Amino acid sequence: MARVGFIGAGEIASAMIGTIAGDGHAITVSRRNEEVSARLERAHPGLRRADNQEVLDASDVVVLCLLAETARRELPGLRFRADQAVISVMAGMSLDELSRACAPATDICVAIPLPPLPLGGTPLAAYPASRALAELFGPHATIHACPSEEALNAHFAATGLLLPLLDQIDVGATWLAEFTGDRAAAASYLAGLLGGYCRMLTAPDAPDLARMRAGLGTEGGLNYTLSKALADNGTPAALSDGLDGLRARLGLPEKTR
Ligand SMILES: NC(=O)c1ccc[n+]([C@@H]2O[C@H](COP(=O)([O-])OP(=O)(O)OC[C@H]3O[C@@H](n4cnc5c(N)ncnc54)[C@H](OP(=O)(O)O)[C@@H]3O)[C@@H](O)[C@H]2O)c1
C-alpha cells in the first residue's frame, strides 16, 4: 500500500484515481475543482481532499495532473521531498523542466494515461521507467516503456489519432443507421467489431498487423474496395501529414525525407 497524492482534480486525475482506488492505497487529492474532488471523495471512501502542499506532505508518490501552464505557476511554490516519486501526466512539460520544478525529488517519470484506464488494459506509455508507476498502475494497464523522451513525445502525438478513428466510426454509424434506424446500436456494432480486432492485435500472441490487413484485404472484397477508395483520395497520406504537423508542438525533429 502506498501514500499517493494527486495534484489537480480534473478528467485525467479522476480516471487515474478510479483505476487504483480499490487497491488499498491512501489517496489524497487537491481540493481544487470542488465538484470533481467532492465526487471522488463520495465515490472512494477513505480518499482525502487537501490543499496542494498538504497533498505533497501526505504522499510518497505524487501524480501531477495539472495543465502545463498551471504547473509552471503552481509547482515552484510547493515543497517536494527528495524521497518522493513523481509521475507527471502533463503534455508539454519536459523532464528537464519537471526536474527543476520538483527538486529535490529526482525520481520523476512522464506517463500518458487516457480516460478509459479504469476499464483495464489501456496502454500507459511512460519514460523513464518508474517503479512507482509499475507498482501502482502495472496491475491495471500495459505499461508501454518508451526508449527516450523523444519517443514518449511521439506517443503523445500518436494519441491524436483517437478522434480521427472515432470520426470514422461516426461516419460508419450514421451510414449504417440509415438502414437500421438505430444510430447507437450501429455505433456499438462498429466499435465492437473494431474492438475485437484491436484485442487480437494487443494479445500476447498478436498476429502481425500486415498479416491481419492482408487477411482482410482480399482483392475485390468489401474491405479492399473501401480501403482503396480512401487511399485513392489521399486519406492515409493526409493522416501521415497530419501527424507530421504535430512534430513542432511536441518538440520532435522535422521530417528529413
Ligand atoms: N484528459 C486526458 O485525456 C489527458 C490524457 C493525458 C494527459 N493529460 C494531461 O493531464 C493534464 C490535466 O488534463 P485534464 O484533462 O485532467 O484537465 P482538467 O480536467 O482541466 O483538469 C485540470 C485540473 O487542474 C486543476 N487546477 C487548476 N489550477 C490548479 C491549482 N493551482 N492547484 C491545483 N489544481 C489546479 C483544475 O481545477 P479547476 O477546474 O478548479 O480549475 C482541474 O481540476 C494536462 O496536462 C493534460 O495534458 C490529459
Side-chain angles (χ1 to χ4, degrees), residues 6-16 30-37 51-52 64-71 73-75 78 88-93 111-116 156 159 162:
F6 286 80
I7 302 287
E11 180 176 20
I12 207 63
S14 300
M16 296 183 83
S30 297
R31 188 178 296 281
R32 189 66 192 237
N33 197 316
E34 183 61 30
E35 192 189 323
V36 176
S37 62
D51 74 27
N52 290 339
L64 300 177
C65 300
L66 300 170
L67 297 173
E69 70 257 28
T70 309
R73 280 198 313 272
E74 188 63 25
L75 298 185
L78 297 177
S88 166
V89 302
M90 302 182 295
M93 196 149 182
I112 313 174
L114 284 162
F156 262 117
T159 64
L162 284 169

Short mmCIF file of all heavy atoms in Angstrom, two decimals, residues 6-16 30-37 51-52 64-71 73-75 78 88-93 111-116 156 159 162, ligand 1:
data_model
loop_
_atom_site.label_atom_id
_atom_site.label_comp_id
_atom_site.label_asym_id
_atom_site.label_seq_id
_atom_site.Cartn_x
_atom_site.Cartn_y
_atom_site.Cartn_z
N PHE A 6 -2.58 13.29 -5.62
CA PHE A 6 -2.88 13.80 -6.96
C PHE A 6 -3.00 15.32 -6.88
O PHE A 6 -3.82 15.84 -6.12
CB PHE A 6 -4.20 13.20 -7.49
CG PHE A 6 -4.07 11.76 -7.90
CD1 PHE A 6 -4.10 10.75 -6.93
CD2 PHE A 6 -3.88 11.41 -9.22
CE1 PHE A 6 -3.95 9.41 -7.30
CE2 PHE A 6 -3.72 10.08 -9.60
CZ PHE A 6 -3.76 9.08 -8.63
N ILE A 7 -2.15 16.01 -7.64
CA ILE A 7 -2.24 17.46 -7.73
C ILE A 7 -3.04 17.78 -8.98
O ILE A 7 -2.59 17.48 -10.10
CB ILE A 7 -0.84 18.11 -7.81
CG1 ILE A 7 0.03 17.72 -6.61
CG2 ILE A 7 -0.94 19.63 -7.94
CD1 ILE A 7 -0.35 18.38 -5.30
N GLY A 8 -4.23 18.39 -8.79
CA GLY A 8 -5.16 18.61 -9.91
C GLY A 8 -6.26 17.57 -9.81
O GLY A 8 -5.97 16.39 -9.56
N ALA A 9 -7.49 18.03 -9.96
CA ALA A 9 -8.63 17.11 -9.82
C ALA A 9 -9.54 17.26 -11.03
O ALA A 9 -10.68 17.68 -10.91
CB ALA A 9 -9.39 17.40 -8.52
N GLY A 10 -9.02 16.92 -12.19
CA GLY A 10 -9.82 17.05 -13.41
C GLY A 10 -10.09 15.69 -14.02
O GLY A 10 -10.12 14.66 -13.32
N GLU A 11 -10.22 15.68 -15.35
CA GLU A 11 -10.62 14.46 -16.05
C GLU A 11 -9.62 13.32 -15.85
O GLU A 11 -9.98 12.20 -15.51
CB GLU A 11 -10.78 14.75 -17.55
CG GLU A 11 -11.21 13.52 -18.31
CD GLU A 11 -11.46 13.79 -19.79
OE1 GLU A 11 -10.96 14.81 -20.29
OE2 GLU A 11 -12.13 13.00 -20.41
N ILE A 12 -8.34 13.63 -16.03
CA ILE A 12 -7.38 12.52 -16.02
C ILE A 12 -7.09 12.06 -14.59
O ILE A 12 -6.88 10.88 -14.34
CB ILE A 12 -6.10 12.86 -16.83
CG1 ILE A 12 -5.49 11.57 -17.37
CG2 ILE A 12 -5.10 13.67 -16.07
CD1 ILE A 12 -6.35 10.81 -18.33
N ALA A 13 -7.09 13.01 -13.64
CA ALA A 13 -6.92 12.61 -12.23
C ALA A 13 -8.05 11.66 -11.83
O ALA A 13 -7.81 10.63 -11.18
CB ALA A 13 -6.90 13.84 -11.32
N SER A 14 -9.28 11.97 -12.25
CA SER A 14 -10.42 11.10 -11.90
C SER A 14 -10.23 9.70 -12.46
O SER A 14 -10.49 8.70 -11.77
CB SER A 14 -11.73 11.64 -12.49
OG SER A 14 -11.99 12.89 -12.03
N ALA A 15 -9.78 9.64 -13.72
CA ALA A 15 -9.60 8.32 -14.34
C ALA A 15 -8.51 7.54 -13.61
O ALA A 15 -8.65 6.33 -13.37
CB ALA A 15 -9.25 8.48 -15.81
N MET A 16 -7.43 8.22 -13.23
CA MET A 16 -6.32 7.51 -12.57
C MET A 16 -6.72 7.07 -11.17
O MET A 16 -6.40 5.96 -10.73
CB MET A 16 -5.08 8.40 -12.54
CG MET A 16 -4.57 8.71 -13.94
SD MET A 16 -3.06 9.69 -13.94
CE MET A 16 -1.81 8.41 -13.72
N SER A 30 -6.01 17.10 -4.60
CA SER A 30 -6.22 18.55 -4.47
C SER A 30 -7.70 18.84 -4.32
O SER A 30 -8.51 18.28 -5.05
CB SER A 30 -5.77 19.29 -5.74
OG SER A 30 -4.42 19.14 -5.98
N ARG A 31 -8.01 19.75 -3.39
CA ARG A 31 -9.40 20.14 -3.19
C ARG A 31 -9.94 20.88 -4.41
O ARG A 31 -11.14 20.96 -4.65
CB ARG A 31 -9.47 21.05 -1.96
CG ARG A 31 -10.83 21.40 -1.48
CD ARG A 31 -10.72 22.25 -0.24
NE ARG A 31 -10.11 21.51 0.85
CZ ARG A 31 -10.75 20.62 1.59
NH1 ARG A 31 -12.00 20.33 1.33
NH2 ARG A 31 -10.14 20.00 2.58
N ARG A 32 -9.03 21.43 -5.21
CA ARG A 32 -9.36 22.21 -6.40
C ARG A 32 -10.38 21.48 -7.27
O ARG A 32 -10.37 20.24 -7.32
CB ARG A 32 -8.06 22.43 -7.18
CG ARG A 32 -8.11 23.37 -8.32
CD ARG A 32 -8.38 24.76 -7.89
NE ARG A 32 -8.70 25.53 -9.09
CZ ARG A 32 -8.06 26.60 -9.47
NH1 ARG A 32 -7.11 27.09 -8.71
NH2 ARG A 32 -8.41 27.21 -10.57
N ASN A 33 -11.18 22.18 -7.98
CA ASN A 33 -12.37 21.67 -8.68
C ASN A 33 -13.26 20.93 -7.69
O ASN A 33 -13.28 19.71 -7.60
CB ASN A 33 -12.07 20.78 -9.89
CG ASN A 33 -13.32 20.66 -10.77
OD1 ASN A 33 -14.41 20.46 -10.25
ND2 ASN A 33 -13.17 20.83 -12.05
N GLU A 34 -14.00 21.77 -6.93
CA GLU A 34 -14.86 21.31 -5.84
C GLU A 34 -15.77 20.16 -6.29
O GLU A 34 -15.89 19.14 -5.62
CB GLU A 34 -15.69 22.53 -5.37
CG GLU A 34 -16.61 22.27 -4.20
CD GLU A 34 -15.87 21.84 -2.94
OE1 GLU A 34 -14.71 22.24 -2.75
OE2 GLU A 34 -16.47 21.06 -2.16
N GLU A 35 -16.34 20.31 -7.49
CA GLU A 35 -17.31 19.32 -7.94
C GLU A 35 -16.64 17.94 -8.12
O GLU A 35 -17.11 16.92 -7.62
CB GLU A 35 -17.91 19.80 -9.27
CG GLU A 35 -19.12 19.01 -9.69
CD GLU A 35 -19.53 19.38 -11.12
OE1 GLU A 35 -19.41 20.57 -11.49
OE2 GLU A 35 -19.93 18.47 -11.84
N VAL A 36 -15.49 17.97 -8.83
CA VAL A 36 -14.82 16.69 -9.12
C VAL A 36 -14.24 16.08 -7.84
O VAL A 36 -14.44 14.89 -7.55
CB VAL A 36 -13.69 16.87 -10.17
CG1 VAL A 36 -12.93 15.57 -10.39
CG2 VAL A 36 -14.27 17.36 -11.48
N SER A 37 -13.57 16.91 -7.03
CA SER A 37 -12.92 16.33 -5.85
C SER A 37 -13.98 15.84 -4.84
O SER A 37 -13.78 14.80 -4.20
CB SER A 37 -11.94 17.30 -5.20
OG SER A 37 -12.58 18.47 -4.76
N ASP A 51 -5.27 20.89 0.50
CA ASP A 51 -4.63 21.85 -0.41
C ASP A 51 -3.35 21.23 -0.95
O ASP A 51 -2.88 20.19 -0.46
CB ASP A 51 -4.45 23.22 0.25
CG ASP A 51 -3.34 23.25 1.29
OD1 ASP A 51 -2.39 22.45 1.17
OD2 ASP A 51 -3.41 24.08 2.22
N ASN A 52 -2.78 21.85 -1.97
CA ASN A 52 -1.69 21.19 -2.71
C ASN A 52 -0.51 20.79 -1.82
O ASN A 52 0.05 19.70 -1.97
CB ASN A 52 -1.21 22.08 -3.85
CG ASN A 52 -2.24 22.18 -4.96
OD1 ASN A 52 -3.12 21.32 -5.07
ND2 ASN A 52 -2.16 23.22 -5.77
N LEU A 64 1.16 14.36 -10.96
CA LEU A 64 0.88 15.74 -11.37
C LEU A 64 -0.12 15.73 -12.51
O LEU A 64 0.18 15.26 -13.62
CB LEU A 64 2.18 16.43 -11.81
CG LEU A 64 3.27 16.51 -10.73
CD1 LEU A 64 4.54 17.15 -11.31
CD2 LEU A 64 2.77 17.29 -9.51
N CYS A 65 -1.31 16.26 -12.27
CA CYS A 65 -2.41 16.21 -13.25
C CYS A 65 -2.91 17.62 -13.55
O CYS A 65 -4.12 17.85 -13.63
CB CYS A 65 -3.56 15.37 -12.72
SG CYS A 65 -3.14 13.67 -12.37
N LEU A 66 -1.99 18.56 -13.69
CA LEU A 66 -2.36 19.95 -13.99
C LEU A 66 -2.14 20.22 -15.47
O LEU A 66 -1.43 19.49 -16.15
CB LEU A 66 -1.46 20.90 -13.20
CG LEU A 66 -1.50 20.80 -11.67
CD1 LEU A 66 -0.36 21.64 -11.07
CD2 LEU A 66 -2.85 21.27 -11.14
N LEU A 67 -2.73 21.28 -15.97
CA LEU A 67 -2.32 21.76 -17.29
C LEU A 67 -0.91 22.32 -17.13
O LEU A 67 -0.57 22.86 -16.06
CB LEU A 67 -3.28 22.85 -17.76
CG LEU A 67 -4.73 22.40 -17.97
CD1 LEU A 67 -5.63 23.58 -18.27
CD2 LEU A 67 -4.82 21.36 -19.08
N ALA A 68 -0.08 22.21 -18.16
CA ALA A 68 1.32 22.61 -18.02
C ALA A 68 1.46 24.07 -17.59
O ALA A 68 2.29 24.40 -16.74
CB ALA A 68 2.06 22.35 -19.33
N GLU A 69 0.62 24.95 -18.14
CA GLU A 69 0.80 26.37 -17.77
C GLU A 69 0.43 26.60 -16.30
O GLU A 69 1.02 27.44 -15.63
CB GLU A 69 0.04 27.30 -18.73
CG GLU A 69 -1.47 27.28 -18.63
CD GLU A 69 -2.08 26.49 -19.79
OE1 GLU A 69 -1.41 25.57 -20.32
OE2 GLU A 69 -3.23 26.79 -20.15
N THR A 70 -0.53 25.80 -15.79
CA THR A 70 -0.87 25.91 -14.35
C THR A 70 0.30 25.40 -13.52
O THR A 70 0.67 25.98 -12.51
CB THR A 70 -2.13 25.06 -14.03
OG1 THR A 70 -3.15 25.39 -14.94
CG2 THR A 70 -2.60 25.29 -12.62
N ALA A 71 0.89 24.29 -13.98
CA ALA A 71 2.02 23.69 -13.24
C ALA A 71 3.17 24.68 -13.16
O ALA A 71 3.84 24.78 -12.12
CB ALA A 71 2.46 22.41 -13.93
N ARG A 73 3.05 27.81 -12.94
CA ARG A 73 2.74 28.81 -11.90
C ARG A 73 2.77 28.17 -10.53
O ARG A 73 3.25 28.75 -9.57
CB ARG A 73 1.34 29.38 -12.13
CG ARG A 73 1.22 30.45 -13.18
CD ARG A 73 -0.09 31.23 -13.01
NE ARG A 73 -1.25 30.39 -12.80
CZ ARG A 73 -2.00 29.88 -13.79
NH1 ARG A 73 -1.69 30.14 -15.04
NH2 ARG A 73 -3.05 29.13 -13.52
N GLU A 74 2.22 26.96 -10.39
CA GLU A 74 1.92 26.38 -9.08
C GLU A 74 3.09 25.63 -8.45
O GLU A 74 3.35 25.75 -7.25
CB GLU A 74 0.72 25.42 -9.25
CG GLU A 74 0.13 24.88 -7.98
CD GLU A 74 -0.46 25.95 -7.07
OE1 GLU A 74 -0.84 27.03 -7.57
OE2 GLU A 74 -0.49 25.71 -5.86
N LEU A 75 3.83 24.85 -9.25
CA LEU A 75 4.84 23.96 -8.67
C LEU A 75 5.97 24.69 -7.95
O LEU A 75 6.43 24.22 -6.89
CB LEU A 75 5.40 22.99 -9.73
CG LEU A 75 4.38 22.04 -10.37
CD1 LEU A 75 5.08 21.06 -11.32
CD2 LEU A 75 3.58 21.27 -9.32
N LEU A 78 5.57 25.01 -4.23
CA LEU A 78 5.36 23.81 -3.41
C LEU A 78 6.69 23.22 -2.97
O LEU A 78 7.69 23.32 -3.68
CB LEU A 78 4.56 22.77 -4.21
CG LEU A 78 3.15 23.18 -4.63
CD1 LEU A 78 2.50 22.09 -5.48
CD2 LEU A 78 2.29 23.49 -3.40
N SER A 88 4.38 12.52 -13.74
CA SER A 88 3.68 13.63 -14.41
C SER A 88 2.92 13.06 -15.60
O SER A 88 3.44 12.25 -16.35
CB SER A 88 4.68 14.67 -14.91
OG SER A 88 4.03 15.54 -15.82
N VAL A 89 1.67 13.52 -15.76
CA VAL A 89 0.91 13.10 -16.95
C VAL A 89 0.70 14.31 -17.86
O VAL A 89 -0.13 14.28 -18.76
CB VAL A 89 -0.46 12.46 -16.57
CG1 VAL A 89 -0.25 11.27 -15.67
CG2 VAL A 89 -1.40 13.47 -15.94
N MET A 90 1.48 15.37 -17.62
CA MET A 90 1.22 16.63 -18.31
C MET A 90 1.92 16.70 -19.67
O MET A 90 3.14 16.55 -19.77
CB MET A 90 1.69 17.79 -17.43
CG MET A 90 1.00 17.79 -16.07
SD MET A 90 1.48 19.17 -15.04
CE MET A 90 3.19 18.84 -14.74
N ALA A 91 1.13 16.95 -20.69
CA ALA A 91 1.72 17.18 -22.01
C ALA A 91 2.38 18.55 -21.98
O ALA A 91 1.88 19.48 -21.35
CB ALA A 91 0.63 17.15 -23.07
N GLY A 92 3.54 18.67 -22.64
CA GLY A 92 4.15 19.99 -22.80
C GLY A 92 5.03 20.42 -21.65
O GLY A 92 5.38 21.60 -21.56
N MET A 93 5.42 19.51 -20.77
CA MET A 93 6.38 19.86 -19.71
C MET A 93 7.48 18.81 -19.72
O MET A 93 7.23 17.64 -19.42
CB MET A 93 5.69 19.93 -18.36
CG MET A 93 6.49 20.65 -17.32
SD MET A 93 5.42 21.47 -16.13
CE MET A 93 6.64 22.25 -15.11
N ALA A 111 4.15 9.98 -17.92
CA ALA A 111 3.30 8.90 -18.45
C ALA A 111 2.12 9.50 -19.20
O ALA A 111 1.77 10.66 -18.96
CB ALA A 111 2.81 8.01 -17.31
N ILE A 112 1.56 8.73 -20.11
CA ILE A 112 0.40 9.21 -20.88
C ILE A 112 -0.80 8.30 -20.63
O ILE A 112 -1.02 7.32 -21.35
CB ILE A 112 0.69 9.22 -22.40
CG1 ILE A 112 2.04 9.86 -22.70
CG2 ILE A 112 -0.43 9.95 -23.14
CD1 ILE A 112 2.45 9.76 -24.18
N PRO A 113 -1.57 8.61 -19.58
CA PRO A 113 -2.79 7.82 -19.36
C PRO A 113 -3.91 8.36 -20.23
O PRO A 113 -3.82 9.47 -20.74
CB PRO A 113 -3.10 8.10 -17.89
CG PRO A 113 -2.56 9.48 -17.67
CD PRO A 113 -1.43 9.70 -18.63
N LEU A 114 -4.94 7.57 -20.44
CA LEU A 114 -6.12 8.06 -21.17
C LEU A 114 -7.35 7.66 -20.37
O LEU A 114 -7.32 6.70 -19.59
CB LEU A 114 -6.14 7.49 -22.59
CG LEU A 114 -5.11 8.22 -23.49
CD1 LEU A 114 -4.80 7.42 -24.73
CD2 LEU A 114 -5.58 9.61 -23.86
N PRO A 115 -8.45 8.39 -20.56
CA PRO A 115 -9.62 8.19 -19.69
C PRO A 115 -10.16 6.75 -19.61
O PRO A 115 -10.72 6.40 -18.58
CB PRO A 115 -10.66 9.16 -20.27
CG PRO A 115 -9.82 10.27 -20.81
CD PRO A 115 -8.61 9.60 -21.39
N PRO A 116 -9.99 5.87 -20.64
CA PRO A 116 -10.51 4.50 -20.43
C PRO A 116 -9.68 3.66 -19.45
O PRO A 116 -10.00 2.50 -19.23
CB PRO A 116 -10.43 3.88 -21.84
CG PRO A 116 -10.29 5.01 -22.78
CD PRO A 116 -9.58 6.10 -22.02
N PHE A 156 2.69 10.85 -27.44
CA PHE A 156 1.70 11.91 -27.19
C PHE A 156 1.04 12.30 -28.51
O PHE A 156 -0.18 12.39 -28.62
CB PHE A 156 2.35 13.17 -26.58
CG PHE A 156 2.24 13.25 -25.07
CD1 PHE A 156 3.38 13.24 -24.26
CD2 PHE A 156 1.00 13.39 -24.46
CE1 PHE A 156 3.28 13.33 -22.88
CE2 PHE A 156 0.90 13.49 -23.07
CZ PHE A 156 2.03 13.46 -22.28
N THR A 159 -1.47 9.83 -29.90
CA THR A 159 -2.80 9.78 -29.26
C THR A 159 -3.79 10.67 -30.01
O THR A 159 -5.00 10.51 -29.87
CB THR A 159 -2.78 10.18 -27.77
OG1 THR A 159 -2.39 11.54 -27.65
CG2 THR A 159 -1.84 9.32 -26.95
N LEU A 162 -6.83 9.27 -32.04
CA LEU A 162 -8.08 8.75 -31.47
C LEU A 162 -9.31 9.40 -32.10
O LEU A 162 -10.24 8.71 -32.51
CB LEU A 162 -8.09 8.96 -29.95
CG LEU A 162 -7.21 7.98 -29.17
CD1 LEU A 162 -7.06 8.42 -27.72
CD2 LEU A 162 -7.80 6.58 -29.24
N1 LIG B 1 -7.69 14.32 -20.27
C1 LIG B 1 -6.89 13.44 -20.86
O1 LIG B 1 -7.34 12.51 -21.56
C2 LIG B 1 -5.40 13.53 -20.69
C3 LIG B 1 -4.63 12.47 -21.15
C4 LIG B 1 -3.23 12.51 -20.97
C5 LIG B 1 -2.66 13.60 -20.35
N2 LIG B 1 -3.46 14.63 -19.93
C6 LIG B 1 -2.79 15.77 -19.27
O2 LIG B 1 -3.29 15.87 -17.95
C7 LIG B 1 -3.28 17.23 -17.54
C8 LIG B 1 -4.65 17.57 -17.00
O3 LIG B 1 -5.61 17.33 -18.02
P1 LIG B 1 -7.15 17.17 -17.69
O4 LIG B 1 -7.80 16.78 -18.96
O5 LIG B 1 -7.35 16.34 -16.48
O6 LIG B 1 -7.51 18.71 -17.38
P2 LIG B 1 -8.67 19.29 -16.48
O7 LIG B 1 -9.83 18.36 -16.48
O8 LIG B 1 -8.86 20.71 -16.91
O9 LIG B 1 -8.02 19.26 -15.03
C9 LIG B 1 -7.07 20.17 -14.59
C10 LIG B 1 -7.27 20.27 -13.08
O10 LIG B 1 -6.29 21.16 -12.56
C11 LIG B 1 -6.96 21.91 -11.54
N3 LIG B 1 -6.21 23.09 -11.17
C12 LIG B 1 -6.14 24.30 -11.79
N4 LIG B 1 -5.34 25.12 -11.09
C13 LIG B 1 -4.91 24.41 -10.02
C14 LIG B 1 -4.09 24.68 -8.91
N5 LIG B 1 -3.49 25.89 -8.75
N6 LIG B 1 -3.87 23.73 -7.99
C15 LIG B 1 -4.45 22.51 -8.12
N7 LIG B 1 -5.25 22.20 -9.13
C16 LIG B 1 -5.48 23.13 -10.06
C17 LIG B 1 -8.27 22.22 -12.18
O11 LIG B 1 -9.18 22.71 -11.21
P3 LIG B 1 -10.28 23.81 -11.63
O12 LIG B 1 -11.25 23.08 -12.52
O13 LIG B 1 -10.84 24.22 -10.31
O14 LIG B 1 -9.56 24.92 -12.36
C18 LIG B 1 -8.63 20.84 -12.68
O15 LIG B 1 -9.12 20.05 -11.64
C19 LIG B 1 -2.88 18.07 -18.76
O16 LIG B 1 -1.55 18.47 -18.61
C20 LIG B 1 -3.04 17.11 -19.92
O17 LIG B 1 -2.06 17.35 -20.92
C21 LIG B 1 -4.80 14.61 -20.05
#
